C-alpha cells in the first residue's frame, strides 16, 4: 500500500475474527465457531446498528423481476435501495403493505436483513410459494455471518448469488475465491452498485489501493448513498496521505448513516493525524460506543489514549479488547508496544509473542501477502524488544525472521539494521557487521513511506502503522559519559510535512582509550530527505559527512607489547579518515502490493591518512617462488590515500503467495590515488605515488519458497567480477592490479517442526570488497537467517589491511 500504511482491518467485516459476532433481536453475544450463541444483553437499538454492519445488501433488484405495478408502488424504496441507502429503503417501504408476490417477498426480506431484522427475514422467506435461488442467497449470507455450513444445490447464476457466495467464501478465509466471486458478480450485473463496493472491499483486503479506488468509483456512481462505500473511500484516500479528502468522505458517510462506526473510526484517525487529538479521540469513543463488542475499535481507542499520555485508560481498553475477542492479535500488539514504552520488557515480549501466534486469524480480512506483512511487523517489533533487553543475538535472529516473512517490509529491514548496529564496533576496528548494518538500513529507507520515522537512526521506534502521526517537527538528543573519560552525544532534528520527510543527525564520540595512544574521536553529520512523488513513487537523498581521528585502537592479545611481537600496540601511529561527503540517491516504485523496484546511486569519497614514526614494515624473503621468511624494519611512514567511487544498483522484488524473489545488478567504479613516504632510520626517504582503479560487476537472484507452513527453502546465485589494486594500504605499496570473479551458489532452509523450535541451515559463497564499497549495496545480506556478507571477517590487527 502507498504511504502511510493504514492497516484498518475488517472495514466491512463478517464478524469478530474467528469468533463471529452474532446479534439477534434482543440478543448480543460472541459466538465461537461450532458453539451456540449466548445471551448477554438486550439492546435492540444497538442490535439494528450492528446488524447493519454485518449484513450487507446483496440482492440485485434487477434480478427480482418485479412487475410494473409493484415497481410503481415501491418506487421510493427501490430508489433508496439502488442508491445504497438501506435504512431509507426500509423506511420508504409502504408501512401497511403486504408483499403480493414471491419477488416482492424476497425484496422485503433483503431490506429487512440489511438492517438486521433476521427473524423477520426468515419469516418472510418461509412465506415463499416456490423455491428461489435469490432467497437461498439471503440464507447463504446468514450462514456466512453465523459461521454455519451452507450446502449449495446449484452453481451461482445471477449477480445476487455470486455476491452471496463471495461473503460465504470470505467467512471461510478463502479470500482469493471470494474476490473472484465478486468479480464475476460485477460482470453479471455491471449496473449494481453493491457488487462494485464489494469488489473494492476485497481489492483493499489485498492491498491494491488503485484497483479498489477504481471499483469504488463505479460503486459510488451507481449507489452514491452507500455509507460503507463512502467510508471505504475515505480509508483509501488516507492510505494515499490525502487526509483532507479522506475527512470529507468520512463526514459524508456519517451524514448518510450516523451509526456507521467505521466512518467515526476513520474520521477520528484523520483528525489525530491533523493534530486535533482531542476531537479525534472523541470520534474513536463514538465508534467504540456504536460497536461496543468490536475488539479492533477498542484497540484503536487504547492507542489514542496512549498517544494522549493516559496509560491507565489505554490499558483498560486493551484488556477489554482482549476479553471481547481473545483471537484478535491487535490488542496484544499494542499492549506489547505500551509495555516496551514503560520498560516492562518481559511483559512486552510475552504479549508480542501472543500477537504473532494469533496473526493468521486475520485471514478472513487479509490476503496471505498482507498477513505475511503483519507477521513481519510483529517479528520486527519483537526484535526491538529483545534488543532493549540486551539479547542482541536473539534480536538479530528475530529481525531476520521478519525479513524472511516479508522481504518488502521496511520495518523488518529497519529492525535488522538496528540489531546489527548494536553489534558494531564503535571504533571501527572490527568491521564484521558494517556491511549488513548499512545494507539493511539503505533498503529500509528506500522501502519506507514518508513519515515512517526511519530516516533518523536515532528516532527508530516503529509503530505498527502511522495512524496517529500527522505532520510534525521533532528533535531529540542523548548523551552518555563513562568514568574513564569517554563520552558520546547524538542529536536529531526531523520532520514530516505532507509528502516530504527529512532528518538531520549529529553523532559525536570521544574516548581516551585504555592504554597510551589508544584514543578515538569521531564526528558524523547526516542529512536525509524523502519525497513521495505519487502514491507509488518515492525519491530518497542522503548526504553524509564523517571524520575520524585516532591512534592505535586495534585489538591485541598482548596489549602492552613485547620485543618479539611486531603486532604490539604502537605508541606513534596516528590515523585520520574523512568522507566529505558520501551521497546516496534512491528511487522506489511500487507496482502492486509486494512488487517493488528499487534503484540506488551513490558517490563515495574517502580521504585516509596514516603517520607512524616507528612503523614496522615487513619484507618477505623468497626461496624460489615461495616466501621462506619475513623480516621487519623500522621506518618513519606517512601515507595518504584519496578514494572516489560511484555505485549504481537496480533491484526488483516480487512477494508472491508462496515465493519471494529478489533479483538485481550492481556496477561500481572508482579510483584511489595513494602517496606513501617511507624513511629508514638515517636513510633517504622513499616516496611512492600510485593510482589504483576499482571496478565491480555483480548480478544476483534469490528465490525464497514457503513449501509448507513449517518449511521455507531459499536458493540463489550471484556472479561477481572485481578488478582492484593489489595493495594500496600497506607500505611498500604497488601499482599492480588484479582481478577475481566468482559464481557463488546460495542455499538455505528454515524448518520449524515445533512451535518454539527452528532449525536453520545454509551454504553460501561471496566475494568481498576492497574498501567500504562492499557495504553500499541492496543485495540481501541474510540467507536462512545467517549473515552471508562481511566488510571484513576478522579485525585488522589479526589479518592486517587486506582486501
Amino acid at each position: 500500500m502507498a504511504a502511510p500504511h493504514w492497516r484498518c482491518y475488517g472495514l466491512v467485516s463478517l464478524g469478530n475474527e474467528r469468533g463471529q459476532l452474532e446479534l439477534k433481536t434482543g440478543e448480543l453475544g460472541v459466538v465461537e465457531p461450532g458453539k451456540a450463541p449466548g445471551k448477554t444483553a438486550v439492546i435492540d437499538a444497538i442490535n439494528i446498528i450492528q446488524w447493519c454492519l454485518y449484513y450487507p445488501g446483496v440482492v440485485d433488484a434487477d434480478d427480482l423481476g418485479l412487475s410494473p405495478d409493484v415497481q410503481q408502488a415501491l418506487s421510493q424504496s427501490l430508489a433508496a435501495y439502488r442508491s445504497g441507502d438501506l435504512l431509507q429503503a426500509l423506511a420508504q417501504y409502504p408501512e401497511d403493505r403486504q408483499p403480493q408476490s414471491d419477488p416482492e417477498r424476497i425484496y422485503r426480506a433483503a431490506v429487512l436483513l440489511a438492517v438486521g431484522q433476521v427473524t423477520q427475514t426468515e419469516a418472510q422467506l418461509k412465506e415463499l410459494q416456490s423455491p428461489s435461488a435469490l432467497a437461498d442467497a439471503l440464507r447463504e449470507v446468514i450462514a456466512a455471518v453465523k459461521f454455519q455450513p451452507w450446502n449449495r444445490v446449484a452453481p451461482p447464476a445471477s449477480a445476487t448469488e455470486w455476491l452471496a457466495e463471495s461473503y460465504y467464501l470470505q467467512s471461510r478465509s478463502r479470500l482469493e475465491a471470494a474476490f473472484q466471486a465478486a468479480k464475476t458478480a460485477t460482470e453479471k450485473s455491471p449496473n449494481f452498485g453493491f457488487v462494485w463496493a464489494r469488489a473494492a472491499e476485497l481489492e483493499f483486503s489485498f492491498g491494491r489501493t488503485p484497483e479498489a479506488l477504481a471499483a469504488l468509483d463505479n460503486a459510488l456512481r451507481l449507489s452514491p448513498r452507500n455509507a460503507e462505500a463512502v467510508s471505504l473511500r475515505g480509508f483509501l484516500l488516507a492510505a494515499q496521505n490525502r487526509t483532507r479528502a479522506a475527512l470529507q468522505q468520512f463526514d459524508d458517510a456519517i451524514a448518510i448513516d450516523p451509526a456507521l462506526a467505521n466512518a467515526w473510526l476513520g474520521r477520528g484517525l484523520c483528525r489525530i493525524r491533523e493534530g486535533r487529538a482531542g476531537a479525534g479521540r472523541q470520534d474513536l469513543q463514538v465508534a467504540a460506543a456504536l460497536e461496543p463488542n468490536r475488539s479492533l475499535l477498542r484497540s484503536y481507542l487504547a492507542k489514542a489514549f496512549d498517544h494522549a499520555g493516559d496509560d491507565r485508560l489505554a490499558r483498560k481498553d486493551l484488556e477489554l479488547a482482549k476479553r471481547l475477542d481473545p483471537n484478535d492479535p491487535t490488542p496484544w500488539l499494542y499492549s506489547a508496544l505500551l509495555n516496551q514504552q514503560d520498560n516492562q520488557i518481559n511483559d512486552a515480549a510475552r504479549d508480542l509473542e501472543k500477537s504473532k501466534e494469533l496473526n493468521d486469524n486475520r485471514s478472513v480480512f487479509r490476503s496471505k501477502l498482507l498477513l505475511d506483512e503483519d507477521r513481519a511487523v510483529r517479528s520486527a517489533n519483537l526484535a526491538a524488544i529483545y534488543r532493549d533487553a540486551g539479547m542482541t543475538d536473539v534480536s538479530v535472529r528475530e529481525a531476520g525472521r521478519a525479513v524472511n516473512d516479508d522481504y518488502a517490509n521496511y520495518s523488518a529491514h529497519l529492525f535488522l539494521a538496528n540489531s546489527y548496529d548494536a553489534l558494531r564496533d564503535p571504533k571501527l576496528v572490527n568491521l564484521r557487521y558494517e556491511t549488513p548494518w548499512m545494507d539493511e538500513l539503505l533498503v529500509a529507507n528506500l522501502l519506507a513511506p514518508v513519515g515512517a520515522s526511519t530516516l533518523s537512526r536515532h528516532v527508530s521506534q516503529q509503530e505498527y502503522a502511522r495512524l496517529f502521526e500527522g505532520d510534525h517537527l521533532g528533535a531529540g538528543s542523548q548523551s552518555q559519559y563513562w568514568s574513564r573519560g569517554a563520552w558520546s552525544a547524538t542529536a536529531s532534528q526531523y520532520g514530516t510535512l505532507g509528502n516530504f520527510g527529512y532528518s538531520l543527525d549529529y553523532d559525536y564520540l570521544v574516548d581516551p582509550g585504555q592504554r597510551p595512544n589508544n584514543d578515538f574521536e569521531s564526528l558524523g553529520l547526516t542529512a536525509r530527505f524523502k519525497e513521495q512523488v505519487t502514491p507509488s513513487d518515492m525519491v530518497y537523498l542522503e548526504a553524509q559527512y564523517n571524520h575520524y581521528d585516532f591512534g592505535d585502537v586495534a585489538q591485541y592479545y598482548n596489549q602492552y607489547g613485547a620485543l618479539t611481537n611486531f603486532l604490539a600496540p604502537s605508541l606513534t601511529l596516528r590515523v585520520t579518515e574523512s568522507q566529505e561527503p558520501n551521497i546516496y540517491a534512491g528511487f522506489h516504485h511500487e507496482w502492486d502490493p509486494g512488487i517493488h523496484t528499487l534503484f540506488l546511486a551513490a558517490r563515495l569519497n574517502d580521504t585516509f591518512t596514516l603517520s607512524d614514526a616507528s612503523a614496522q614494515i615487513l619484507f618477505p624473503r623468497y626461496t624460489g617462488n615461495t616466501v621462506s621468511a619475513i623480516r621487519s624494519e623500522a621506518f618513519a611512514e606517512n601515507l595518504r590515500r584519496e578514494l572516489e567511487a560511484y555505485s549504481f544498483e537496480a533491484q526488483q522484488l516480487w512477494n508472491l503467495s508462496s515465493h519471494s524473489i529478489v533479483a538485481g545488478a550492481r556496477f561500481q567504479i572508482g579510483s584511489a590515488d595513494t602517496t606513501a613516504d617511507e624513511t629508514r632510520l638515517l636513510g633517504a626517504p622513499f616516496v611512492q605515488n600510485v593510482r589504483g582503479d576499482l571496478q565491480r560487476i555483480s548480478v544476483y537472484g534469490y528465490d525464497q519458497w514457503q513449501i509448507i507452513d513449517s518449511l521455507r527453502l531459499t536458493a540463489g546465485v550471484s556472479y561477481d567480477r572485481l578488478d582492484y589494486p593489489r595493495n594500496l594500504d600497506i607500505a611498500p605499496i604497488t601499482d599492480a592490479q588484479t582481478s577475481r570473479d566468482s559464481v557463488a551458489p546460495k542455499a538455505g532452509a528454515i524448518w520449524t517442526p515445533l512451535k518454539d523450535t527452528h532449525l536453520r541451515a545454509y551454504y553460501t559463497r561471496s566475494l568481498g570488497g576492497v574498501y567500504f564499497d562492499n557495504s553500499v549495496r541492496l543485495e540481501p545480506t541474510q540467507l536462512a537467517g545467517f549473515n552471508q556478507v562481511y566488510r571484513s571477517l576478522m579485525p585488522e590487527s589479526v589479518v592486517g589491511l587486506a582486501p
Side-chain angles (χ1 to χ4, degrees), residues 718-778:
S718 67
Y719 171 77
D720 295 89
R721 178 177 177 82
L722 182 62
D723 298 305
Y724 62 98
R726 183 182 294 275
N727 175 26
L728 291 181
D729 292 304
I730 305 173
I733 59 177
T734 175
D735 60 358
Q737 293 278 134
T738 188
S739 63
R740 290 192 62 181
D741 64 349
S742 171
V743 176
K746 324 276 187 179
I750 302 177
W751 180 38
T752 307
L754 301 172
K755 174 186 173 184
D756 296 318
T757 303
H758 307 278
L759 302 177
R760 300 181 295 147
Y762 85 130
Y763 169 83
T764 182
R765 297 186 61 174
S766 59
L767 185 62
V770 185
Y771 308 110
F772 62 96
D773 53 282
N774 195 42
S775 297
V776 182
R777 49 180 275 161
L778 302 177

Side-chain angles (χ1 to χ4, degrees), residues 583-630:
I583 298 175
Y584 305 88
F587 172 75
H588 169 211
H589 178 77
E590 183 178 15
W591 302 92
D592 223 14
I595 303 177
H596 305 260
T597 297
L598 304 179
F599 176 76
L600 177 68
R603 184 258 188 186
L604 310 176
N605 173 272
D606 186 86
T607 300
F608 175 88
T609 68
L610 179 151
S611 64
D612 193 347
S614 58
Q616 294 291 324
I617 295 182
L618 307 181
F619 294 90
R621 180 178 298 166
Y622 291 90
T623 302
N625 293 325
T626 303
V627 177
S628 58
I630 295 179

Side-chain angles (χ1 to χ4, degrees), residues 187-209:
E187 295 168 353
K188 293 285 184 180
S189 185
N191 293 320
F192 184 27
F194 286 110
V195 297
W196 288 106
R198 174 65 177 155
E201 295 161 8
L202 290 168
E203 292 281 18
F204 195 37
S205 291
F206 286 90
R208 299 189 287 255
T209 302

